[in-house]
Amino acid sequence: MLQKVVICGVDTTGLPKLTAKENEELIVRLKAGDEAAREKFIIGNMRLVLSLVKRFWAKNANADDVFQAGCVGLIKAIDNFDPKFQVKFSTYAVPMILGEIKRYLRDGNSLRVSRSIRDTAYRILKVRESIEERDEEATIEKIAEIMQVKEREVVYALDAISDPISLYEPVYNKSGDTVELMDQLADTKQSDEIWTERVALREAMARLADREKKILMLRYYEGKTQTEISQEVGISQAQVSRLEKNALKQIKENIS
């Protein structure tokens, strides 16, 4: 993204730079309804948008889309800015531009993350930063202890805001020989040993009575409790437990 010169059809190397006095004069004119002044002011402040867009170069987002979102924030800032605020326009505009960019990145993510999880993740990042400022190792355990939450909640929240990586992401490139992420992934579920075990399990299951087979299917493939199974099959929970144990014992004996 940082190396991109033409964004949304705009040559960023040729963007004009307005002086503080020009900014003030144009704001007065555009607030009075001068469309030419408005257009000049927008173009003159695109450098501000560009400087903020560069912060998000590592997000693997489309530069054109991020820049466009920043320009939307710029226009919103222009529409809502009042010279009576007694602040520089850039001071007022930066939070609105950043907010629009972050909203685009959040809403454009293929995985929607709830606001509560995002808030938790951002609090975690702040705690981690404060720990690292003390030259200490910011471990999951330490963060969880400070925030008084479970360790798995810390891990889950951080994973939720992590950007997904394509399996076709190049991890090594030399002399045209590119190694992608998927090339380094091993399939540990399709070995000869696993296939043999699956066949043996299938044959052992076939030897069970229909009711025992159904109980195992409901229990281990659909994740139902013994109480739920007893209601569906029409027998007591104790009977379900006994039949399940007998079925597992038969399968073990047939496989071994």
Side-chain angles (χ1 to χ4, degrees), residues 160-184:
I161 63 170
S162 299
D163 291 324
I165 300 176
S166 171
L167 289 175
Y168 297 97
E169 185 82 13
V171 294
Y172 175 81
N173 193 324
K174 185 176 181 180
S175 302
D177 185 15
T178 302
V179 177
E180 297 174 342
L181 179 60
M182 68 179 302
D183 296 326
Q184 296 188 323

Side-chain angles (χ1 to χ4, degrees), residues 228-245:
E228 291 173 332
I229 296 172
S230 68
Q231 294 172 353
E232 183 169 336
V233 179
I235 58 178
S236 67
Q237 185 269 330
Q239 287 178 294
V240 171
S241 177
R242 179 174 55 80
L243 290 170
E244 179 186 339
K245 289 180 181 178

Side-chain angles (χ1 to χ4, degrees), residues 30-43:
L30 70 87
K31 287 297 180 180
D34 188 332
E35 289 299 325
R38 177 184 172 85
E39 182 177 349
K40 185 176 180 179
F41 188 80
I42 291 173
I43 296 175

